[in-house]
Amino acid sequence: MSAPGKADAIARANIALAKYWGKSDDRLNLPAVPSLSITLDPMRTETRVELDERLDADVFELDGKVALPKETARVTAMLDRVRAESGIAAKARVTSRNHFPTASGLASSASGFAALAAAARAAYGLTRDDAKASAMARRASASAARSIYGGFVELPAGEPGDDALAAIPRHDASHWDLRVVVGVITEGRKDVGSREGMGHSRETSPYWRAWVESAPAMCGVIREAIAARDYERLGPVVEQSFTTMHALAFTSSPSTMYFQPASIAALQTVKQLRDRGVPVWPTMDAGPHVKAVCPGEAAAQVEQALAATPGVLRVLHARPGAGVEVG
Amino acid sequence: MSAPGKADAIARANIALAKYWGKSDDRLNLPAVPSLSITLDPMRTETRVELDERLDADVFELDGKVALPKETARVTAMLDRVRAESGIAAKARVTSRNHFPTASGLASSASGFAALAAAARAAYGLTRDDAKASAMARRASASAARSIYGGFVELPAGEPGDDALAAIPRHDASHWDLRVVVGVITEGRKDVGSREGMGHSRETSPYWRAWVESAPAMCGVIREAIAARDYERLGPVVEQSFTTMHALAFTSSPSTMYFQPASIAALQTVKQLRDRGVPVWPTMDAGPHVKAVCPGEAAAQVEQALAATPGVLRVLHARPGAGVEVG
């Protein structure tokens, strides 16, 4: 197979409405529970992969700077799999740019590894295969499996050993005009990475088993509510999916706390809006940001209220977006 | 039996290190899990009970004001039991004063109902019996059962129907110079009372069963660590007991959140102190205040750091205190 040698991809972050936390298989990075997300526009990562026969090792540049060695190692791990599948040994130069804050709980690893999987497969001359790209992205970062597809996307739980596990597109971006208004609370990287936090929860939280047992039902309700575009049914379960996930970290020993004071203020803002009749429910990931999920017609009001909350640095407004684009 | 007709009692608040949340029997107010607390000085309630044959109904004055009807109803419910036991029908005038904020998660119901039980029994001429007073206090507010005794006190879980359930004194106040430094975060009453919050958790939190299953082991470790005066063993379990209890409220649907932004700031202060080698671990009850538990020698440093935390209004410094005093 002849390789074009160079490819660009654009992928978007996603926000899980039904949360994933914890693995059933650490080596293959398989999630212990199913998750369901919205792929978000305009939170994009653009990635270029360029083969270079002269390189002894892959080179990875992130947001204009040479990446950290551990970040480069994760990129190389994925490229090694693409090289094995394509039969092409050449190393690559990877340049990636996030159009939103990196590694602070805003799903930059999701869009990043989705874009990388798609760009790498194309650069090494493999035929486009979204399920394979999704499984490959999953190995690097479980949430990245979902960013291969646009709109509303589910990643099932993985049985140990199932390395073909990939996300499943449920509805495309035009299905429902849900919005995600993000109250950005820090620009920095978080103290405790998701991967480390998940292992700590599984080892030390008394609620770990109850989480694994209850998460599939929450994901099921969210799947049905999205299919029916039923916001009234969706909202409370979106909240409970994030609270039960955060509680795992919080009840680990010692406790891992992703909240900042301003996170609580933003959650209070969301509740006050709802008490005044605005349809909006919160979700959070393993970081301090509060993500308010609402129907399109409520978004302007939510944006204004979050922007006025003390400690909220700025607000991002996202809507369902497309899957990975390869050029 | 002749009645003295009037009695005064002083009881102290307590802070549970092993938390109680939820009931095994709503009618008898029996706790679903065991708890273990320190009775705190100088957080006192002073209560006087005075029989008055001219009254048609009990009169209850709290902190210098006529109490709310629902508060008076809880007082009358307890007095009815004392009247049944004593055979004296007279109604009573009850005056009670808290020397710390009321109904905001600082255990004013614990010291209040302990003082009331002791004063009422004495005023109606019953022989002093701390186990009976503790059981009577428990019917009104489970944590009040513990404030009958000084020092370190355990309230076992109750089997449904066991109306004699009372607290058990484990060690008196001189056993260990542990301190509790309270970062007071609001002076007002909380939005969601404990009683209401507990029922909501039992009905809607996916972690309810895991809580009931894991709390006894945490209480056992705390009991052993107190007996051995082993702070290193005590601290992490004190934290996990409160996080697992708060997580129940937080994972209910809709979520009940007792944190204020300043609660998170105070928890961060406690963690930063510990990262610098100061032995201090946090606990919280169903309210926004953060209670830092530390050995006596660390208390001054903890007090200073909490007082300097943005959003902390003031700091209370408590130590193990005596049980109820009747005069």
Side-chain angles (χ1 to χ4, degrees):
Chain A
M1 186 181 287
S2 79
K6 181 168 108 174
D8 293 289
I10 296 172
R12 290 160 185 82
N14 68 73
I15 176 85
L17 301 183
K19 295 299 181 192
Y20 143 65
W21 192 251
K23 303 187 199 309
S24 63
D25 181 328
D26 285 322
R27 192 178 64 84
L28 299 182
N29 201 38
L30 293 164
V33 300
S35 56
L36 206 160
S37 61
I38 311 178
T39 301
L40 296 177
D41 207 52
M43 297 169 68
R44 304 177 189 195
T45 298
E46 292 174 21
T47 297
R48 168 170 294 184
V49 174
E50 201 166 358
L51 276 59
D52 188 338
E53 301 279 359
R54 295 162 305 178
L55 291 174
D56 292 331
D58 299 314
V59 174
F60 177 36
E61 191 181 277
L62 178 61
D63 292 331
K65 291 182 206 153
V66 174
L68 302 173
K70 70 172 184 179
E71 291 169 337
T72 304
R74 287 174 81 183
V75 166
T76 288
M78 187 185 280
L79 292 176
D80 282 345
R81 292 163 57 84
V82 177
R83 283 187 278 258
E85 194 175 334
S86 68
I88 297 169
K91 306 295 182 190
R93 188 178 308 280
V94 177
T95 50
S96 190
R97 186 168 293 277
N98 288 321
H99 294 273
F100 55 94
T102 297
S104 72
L106 285 173
S108 57
S109 68
S111 50
F113 286 111
L116 177 65
R121 292 181 65 84
Y124 280 87
L126 296 169
T127 309
R128 180 161 178 167
D129 181 328
D130 283 350
K132 280 193 175 176
S134 177
M136 192 168 268
R138 187 214 76 242
R139 268 288 281 271
S141 171
S143 60
R146 300 185 307 247
S147 278
I148 293 291
Y149 299 102
F152 300 83
V153 184
E154 183 167 352
L155 179 63
E159 290 298 318
D162 179 15
D163 199 19
L165 185 78
I168 300 165
R170 291 288 178 206
H171 308 277
D172 70 20
S174 66
H175 172 69
W176 195 7
D177 183 28
L178 274 188
R179 305 291 172 86
V180 179
V181 180
V182 183
V184 176
I185 282 167
T186 54
E187 301 286 359
R189 283 164 192 256
K190 60 198 177 194
D191 291 344
V192 180
S194 305
R195 191 167 289 227
E196 184 187 341
M198 286 179 195
H200 187 51
S201 296
R202 190 174 60 186
E203 301 309 319
T204 67
S205 171
Y207 296 159
W208 170 256
R209 184 156 300 280
W211 159 253
V212 172
E213 286 167 6
S214 60
M218 290 189 273
C219 188
V221 173
I222 288 170
R223 184 191 309 118
E224 289 168 21
I226 289 172
R229 296 188 203 92
D230 182 346
Y231 187 80
E232 304 254 308
R233 189 158 182 229
L234 181 73
V237 191
V238 165
E239 180 187 66
Q240 193 168 46
S241 181
F242 110 76
T243 60
T244 47
M245 173 270 208
H246 261 253
L248 291 178
F250 183 50
T251 60
S252 300
S253 183
S255 179
T256 301
M257 170 77 95
Y258 291 107
F259 297 129
Q260 290 289 335
S263 312
I264 304 298
L267 289 174
Q268 289 174 334
T269 294
V270 170
K271 183 169 188 308
Q272 283 154 11
L273 283 168
R274 205 168 58 243
D275 288 347
R276 283 167 27 210
V278 180
V280 57
W281 289 86
T283 185
M284 293 178 72
D285 290 293
H289 314 293
V290 172
K291 293 138 182 181
V293 181
C294 62
E297 61 272 21
Q301 214 175 339
V302 170
E303 200 170 355
Q304 198 170 25
L306 273 180
T309 299
V312 171
L313 302 179
R314 60 199 175 90
V315 166
L316 305 176
H317 181 163
R319 64 190 74 208
V324 72
E325 298 165 49
V326 186
Chain B
M1 184 182 288
S2 81
K6 182 169 108 175
D8 293 291
I10 297 172
R12 290 160 184 82
N14 69 72
I15 176 85
L17 300 183
K19 296 298 182 194
Y20 144 67
W21 192 252
K23 303 188 199 310
S24 62
D25 181 328
D26 285 322
R27 193 178 62 86
L28 300 181
N29 202 39
L30 292 164
V33 300
S35 55
L36 206 160
S37 61
I38 312 179
T39 301
L40 297 176
D41 207 52
M43 296 168 69
R44 303 175 189 197
T45 299
E46 292 173 20
T47 297
R48 168 170 293 183
V49 174
E50 200 166 359
L51 276 59
D52 188 337
E53 301 280 359
R54 296 163 304 179
L55 291 174
D56 292 332
D58 300 313
V59 174
F60 177 37
E61 191 180 276
L62 178 61
D63 292 332
K65 290 184 206 152
V66 175
L68 302 174
K70 71 173 184 178
E71 290 168 337
T72 304
R74 287 173 81 182
V75 166
T76 287
M78 187 186 280
L79 292 176
D80 283 344
R81 292 162 57 85
V82 178
R83 283 187 278 260
E85 193 174 334
S86 69
I88 297 168
K91 305 297 183 189
R93 189 177 308 280
V94 176
T95 50
S96 190
R97 186 168 293 277
N98 288 320
H99 294 275
F100 56 93
T102 297
S104 73
L106 286 173
S108 57
S109 67
S111 51
F113 285 111
L116 177 64
R121 292 180 65 84
Y124 280 86
L126 297 169
T127 309
R128 180 159 177 169
D129 181 328
D130 283 352
K132 279 193 174 175
S134 176
M136 192 168 268
R138 186 215 76 239
R139 268 288 279 269
S141 170
S143 59
R146 300 186 306 247
S147 279
I148 293 292
Y149 299 103
F152 300 84
V153 185
E154 184 168 350
L155 179 63
E159 291 297 318
D162 179 15
D163 199 17
L165 185 78
I168 299 165
R170 291 286 179 206
H171 308 277
D172 69 19
S174 66
H175 171 69
W176 194 8
D177 183 28
L178 273 188
R179 304 292 173 83
V180 180
V181 181
V182 183
V184 176
I185 283 167
T186 55
E187 302 285 359
R189 283 164 192 255
K190 59 199 179 194
D191 290 343
V192 179
S194 305
R195 191 168 290 228
E196 185 186 340
M198 287 180 196
H200 186 51
S201 296
R202 190 175 59 186
E203 302 309 319
T204 65
S205 170
Y207 295 159
W208 170 255
R209 185 155 298 281
W211 159 252
V212 172
E213 286 167 4
S214 60
M218 288 189 272
C219 187
V221 173
I222 287 171
R223 184 192 308 117
E224 291 168 19
I226 289 172
R229 297 189 201 90
D230 182 345
Y231 187 80
E232 304 255 308
R233 188 156 182 230
L234 181 73
V237 192
V238 165
E239 180 187 67
Q240 195 170 44
S241 181
F242 111 74
T243 59
T244 46
M245 174 271 209
H246 261 254
L248 291 178
F250 183 50
T251 59
S252 300
S253 183
S255 179
T256 301
M257 170 77 95
Y258 291 108
F259 297 129
Q260 290 289 336
S263 312
I264 304 300
L267 290 173
Q268 290 175 333
T269 294
V270 170
K271 184 170 188 305
Q272 283 154 11
L273 283 168
R274 204 165 61 243
D275 288 348
R276 281 166 30 210
V278 180
V280 57
W281 289 86
T283 185
M284 293 179 72
D285 290 292
H289 315 295
V290 172
K291 292 137 183 182
V293 180
C294 62
E297 62 272 18
Q301 213 175 340
V302 171
E303 201 170 352
Q304 199 170 23
L306 273 181
T309 300
V312 172
L313 303 178
R314 60 198 173 91
V315 165
L316 304 175
H317 182 163
R319 62 191 74 207
V324 72
E325 298 165 49
V326 185

